[in-house]
Amino acid sequence: MPIDRSLGRNVNFYDASKSGVALGGLIQNGSVTETNFLNMIEILLITEAPLRVQERTLGHVVATTNNPLQPGEYDVYCDSPIEVSNEPWVHRLISHSVSGREDAFRDGIRARDGKCVISGMVNRRAPFNMWSGFEAAHIFPLESESYWVEQNYGRWITDVTPGVAKINSHQNGFLLRGDIHTDFDNYLVSVSPDDNYKIIVFGLDNAGIDGRSLDPVCRDPRNSHSVSDQLLRWHFRQSVLANMRGAGEPIFEHDFPPGTDMMTEIREGPYAQERLEMEFASRLRGVV
């Protein structure tokens, strides 16, 4: 069964003009500032007039400051109607293994980063070519390559290599610990390139990484293969949509025991068509 992202929320926000109508919420682990929150609200809500966000109990008006956002209930005021954005959320699979055609991507990411760039954990076994627990993660998912092409996201890739698809550019990836890779693919952790590359955990922070900064090793501007700010920005926006809009998007099971009819579980769950298309695309990638 899909997991409900809204479980554990300690911040909720409402349309002040419609009593009791919840617009969304988030889990505040401590790193989200008032400015961050207002920027997230701008992603989620569409209005024709300026917004005012006010804490319900004490009446505090959220401002563009670096003060931490306090947990609580918030009302959104506006002189025009408030609409929730219907911007598409791009589903993705948990993609820990890659086919042979992505070996160059994996090897290049390992060589550039050498550590989990979110947790800071260094792979001390790298000199022996041992990478157990460390995985090269795509920022934009491989299984949605058709959407990548449709939206021309390849324009954000500048380190073009002949014979290598832009989606497999080193600029579309970094090295992560395996557990953090899973959370990144689930949009439960993301990086804000517009706030000093701050790491924001949208779920409960099991790994203690909320508020860290993305390691500079993967974003050195002197390196032509450094990670793309535009792609980080895309992933962050997707994370806001997935976790904060309404009740949030479902988190799908990925650890299927032997003998499980995975395809039936997918067909009977939400977003069945999209998930099946991604699953087939992922499997075909390794053989076509």
Side-chain angles (χ1 to χ4, degrees):
M1 292 293 292
I3 300 168
D4 185 352
R5 287 181 193 263
S6 66
L7 298 175
R9 281 180 176 174
N10 54 7
V11 172
N12 294 284
F13 52 97
Y14 303 83
D15 185 340
S17 68
K18 300 176 181 178
S19 178
V21 175
L23 299 172
L26 65 88
I27 295 174
Q28 163 66 307
N29 288 294
S31 73
V32 175
T33 66
E34 293 193 1
T35 295
N36 294 151
F37 186 51
L38 292 176
N39 290 337
M40 293 168 174
I41 291 287
E42 288 184 1
I43 292 173
L44 296 167
L45 303 182
I46 300 172
T47 65
E48 295 181 357
L51 295 171
R52 177 169 59 88
V53 183
Q54 184 171 326
E55 198 277 329
R56 181 173 291 179
T57 303
L58 300 177
H60 172 72
V61 176
V62 179
T64 53
T65 73
N66 289 325
N67 296 329
L69 180 73
Q70 296 302 310
E73 310 291 298
Y74 290 83
D75 291 310
V76 181
Y77 295 85
C78 187
D79 290 335
S80 67
I82 297 173
E83 295 183 15
V84 178
S85 168
N86 62 357
E87 180 177 339
W89 168 65
V90 177
H91 323 291
R92 62 191 299 162
L93 302 176
I94 305 301
S95 53
H96 289 249
S97 61
V98 294
S99 68
R101 91 174 47 176
E102 281 87 48
D103 283 356
F105 171 82
R106 178 200 63 196
D107 294 344
I109 293 296
R110 287 175 175 178
R112 186 193 66 194
D113 296 348
K115 64 173 72 173
C116 171
V117 296
I118 283 183
S119 71
M121 179 182 288
V122 176
N123 181 18
R124 297 181 180 179
R125 295 177 286 190
F128 309 103
N129 199 30
M130 298 173 64
W131 294 90
S132 176
F134 292 85
E135 299 169 354
H138 283 82
I139 298 170
F140 186 96
L142 278 174
E143 63 272 12
S144 295
E145 187 170 7
S146 60
Y147 188 72
W148 164 281
V149 172
E150 177 186 321
Q151 298 297 316
N152 191 28
Y153 288 149
R155 69 186 184 276
W156 294 332
I157 301 301
T158 57
D159 68 338
V160 179
T161 302
V164 177
K166 287 186 176 183
I167 199 169
N168 278 319
S169 162
H170 301 157
Q171 293 183 292
N172 184 35
F174 42 33
L175 196 66
L176 299 179
R177 233 168 54 191
D179 58 328
I180 295 174
H181 185 182
T182 298
D183 280 353
F184 186 82
D185 280 357
N186 274 321
Y187 300 110
L188 289 170
V189 59
S190 195
V191 179
S192 175
D194 300 312
D195 190 11
N196 297 315
Y197 297 89
K198 181 167 66 178
I199 295 159
I200 293 180
V201 177
F202 287 89
L204 295 173
D205 185 20
N206 287 334
I209 55 177
D210 185 65
R212 287 178 55 87
S213 292
L214 184 69
D215 197 284
V217 71
C218 69
R219 54 182 174 90
D220 184 349
R222 297 169 297 180
N223 185 344
S224 62
H225 303 298
S226 63
V227 70
S228 164
D229 281 1
Q230 291 92 336
L231 287 170
L232 289 175
R233 196 171 288 119
W234 174 87
H235 185 275
F236 185 79
R237 189 177 184 92
Q238 287 288 305
S239 299
V240 170
L241 294 170
N243 291 285
M244 294 180 59
R245 180 168 57 186
E249 301 292 347
I251 300 173
F252 300 110
E253 182 60 74
H254 68 279
D255 187 10
F256 293 97
T260 301
D261 188 347
M262 184 176 71
M263 290 304 178
T264 296
E265 290 206 13
I266 292 176
R267 283 196 300 268
E268 293 177 351
Y271 296 110
Q273 180 177 341
E274 294 92 335
R275 294 179 67 203
L276 285 170
E277 288 175 355
M278 288 191 299
E279 192 66 45
F280 290 140
S282 178
R283 297 185 182 197
L284 285 171
R285 176 173 290 277
V287 297
V288 175

